[in-house]
Amino acid sequence: MPNVTYISPDGTETTLEARDGDSVMEIAVKNGVKGIVAECGGACSCATCHVYVDEAFVGAAGEVSDLEDDMLDGAESERLPVSRLSCQIKMCAELDGLKVRIAPKQ
């Protein structure tokens, strides 16, 4: 099973096992990771699961869809080139070891 590490704005790291196909947001919510609000439950309609993907995993995390791109434009925290909505990143073997920094404001 692949692992994903969440880095909170204060630097605290939480590493969790993930099942293939689960979104990075779903894993965080199921395990009580603070900072991932996920108001829309993963429908890509709120931008409250904004994360910064470690540069080593940007390619493996997949392309940003037009809808996700629009949502990121309205995110509360600064949008960076590595910004993603964690509900849109599906875990797989290629993402084993993924690290995401949780945006400071959701």
Side-chain angles (χ1 to χ4, degrees):
M1 290 174 62
N3 288 318
V4 57
T5 299
Y6 301 86
I7 305 168
S8 70
D10 71 4
T12 303
E13 293 191 16
T14 303
T15 300
L16 299 168
E17 283 190 344
R19 292 183 306 185
D20 283 352
D22 281 353
S23 76
V24 172
M25 180 275 299
E26 289 173 312
I27 299 157
V29 170
K30 287 178 185 174
N31 290 281
V33 175
K34 293 184 192 266
I36 302 288
V37 179
E39 287 178 358
C40 73
C44 195
S45 63
C46 71
T48 61
C49 64
H50 183 191
V51 297
Y52 303 116
V53 176
D54 184 284
E55 291 200 18
F57 290 94
V58 169
E63 294 290 319
V64 176
S65 70
D66 290 341
L67 178 58
E68 181 181 2
D69 188 51
D70 289 345
M71 289 288 99
L72 285 166
D73 282 343
E76 188 73 25
S77 290
E78 178 184 8
R79 182 177 182 172
L80 301 176
V82 295
S83 286
R84 291 296 305 270
L85 298 181
S86 60
C87 66
Q88 299 302 297
I89 304 170
K90 304 295 184 192
M91 289 301 296
C92 60
E94 292 79 27
L95 290 175
D96 185 30
L98 173 66
K99 288 188 175 191
V100 295
R101 287 185 302 115
I102 299 168
K105 294 181 183 176
Q106 300 287 347

